[in-house]
Amino acid sequence: ILNVEQSPQSLHVQEGDSTNFTCSFPSSNFYALHWYRWETAKSPEALFVMTLNGDEKKKGRISATLNTKEGYSYLYIKGSQPEDSATYLCAFNDDNQGGKLIFGQGTELSVKP
Amino acid sequence: NAGVTQTPKFQVLKTGQSMTLQCAQDMNHNSMYWYRQDPGMGLRLIYYSASEGTTDKGEVPNGYNVSRLNKREFSLRLESAAPSQTSVYFCASSGRGAPYNEQFFGPGTRLTVL
């Protein structure tokens, strides 16, 4: 059974704080690692899709890194804002599973003004 | 483009009742998926369809059936609803033009089984 773990499960920060979360995944048969942002009462939306070891992606104040050899990815948010409050999901896509993604349980971020 | 649409948005059922959740996508994607979301559990795959005419079980298929009616539509049926099926259900699709299996999600159906 493929397992994707995210930590922490939840995080409460003040506006302006920088924060980061971890996603760990199996290091064999790697194809891609996805990060999704999921706001309350909405549907998940893709933030990043990462495929190469050492990959770094950035979108505004949010960035992500990938280490496929050791099986982890970090998501960073610089200068958190209340609108960053959401659940951040990572999902692992392995070579043998076709298009199926294995999702972690998510990190719920709450940013207080 | 509407993307991925789901109906209904909300539904309340009594134990033992049946219903079908509808999903459609207009992105010409080959693959479609049904997930359920429960507190603290993330998204769990119920069934998926890699292409028109094929369906396969995911992580939690018991109590559900699916139909890939055509390339656009993928429905999820609960034959005899149970309280354990109270959840939020999301449909998603992926395919050509979506790199590395990026999935696009519908707005979800919130189902309560009494």
Side-chain angles (χ1 to χ4, degrees):
Chain A
I1 296 176
L2 300 173
N3 213 25
V4 177
E5 298 286 340
Q6 288 187 249
S7 62
Q9 196 167 345
S10 64
L11 199 51
H12 300 267
V13 302
Q14 291 295 132
E15 183 174 353
D17 288 350
S18 291
T19 186
N20 65 85
F21 331 128
T22 305
C23 172
S24 61
F25 52 87
S27 54
S28 58
N29 300 320
F30 179 85
Y31 184 68
L33 193 282
H34 300 231
W35 280 100
Y36 287 82
R37 172 192 161 87
W38 190 1
E39 290 181 71
T40 303
K42 295 188 178 179
S43 46
E45 290 186 352
L47 273 173
F48 305 115
V49 180
M50 308 176 78
T51 57
L52 299 174
N53 185 42
D55 223 358
E56 288 190 30
K57 299 266 185 179
K58 189 170 180 189
K59 190 180 282 189
R61 294 178 291 98
I62 304 177
S63 60
T65 60
L66 179 67
N67 183 323
T68 60
K69 293 189 189 311
E70 295 182 39
Y72 65 83
S73 175
Y74 294 134
L75 187 80
Y76 300 93
I77 301 179
K78 187 177 175 183
S80 303
Q81 299 296 308
E83 57 265 31
D84 295 328
S85 296
T87 296
Y88 291 84
L89 292 169
C90 73
F92 172 69
N93 188 196
D94 110 356
D95 229 354
N96 299 323
Q97 299 278 330
K100 286 195 299 181
L101 299 180
I102 310 298
F103 282 87
Q105 75 275 32
T107 292
E108 187 177 354
L109 174 68
S110 173
V111 183
K112 291 185 179 174
Chain B
N1 282 355
V4 180
T5 56
Q6 290 182 235
T7 55
K9 287 202 165 96
F10 302 94
Q11 183 72 48
V12 179
L13 292 177
K14 293 182 181 174
T15 297
Q17 287 186 315
S18 62
M19 79 161 293
T20 300
L21 281 65
Q22 307 286 355
C23 173
Q25 53 90 10
D26 62 2
M27 294 174 282
N28 202 33
H29 285 166
N30 287 326
S31 301
M32 297 184 74
Y33 312 85
W34 276 106
Y35 294 93
R36 60 178 288 171
Q37 186 258 327
D38 302 294
M41 306 284 285
L43 290 169
R44 292 185 292 168
L45 184 66
I46 305 171
Y47 269 94
Y48 71 102
S49 170
S51 61
E52 188 179 350
T54 69
T55 61
D56 280 292
K57 294 178 182 179
E59 185 185 350
V60 288
N62 291 345
Y64 305 95
N65 283 304
V66 290
S67 295
R68 183 74 183 268
L69 304 167
N70 48 54
K71 192 170 187 179
R72 288 188 65 248
E73 297 171 289
F74 188 38
S75 62
L76 178 74
R77 182 158 178 86
L78 287 70
E79 290 292 350
S80 178
S84 60
Q85 293 177 305
T86 293
S87 188
V88 182
Y89 291 85
F90 286 96
C91 177
S93 70
S94 70
R96 202 162 127 177
Y100 299 100
N101 302 312
E102 177 184 341
Q103 293 187 9
F104 295 81
F105 287 83
T109 295
R110 187 173 294 274
L111 175 67
T112 301
V113 183
L114 302 174

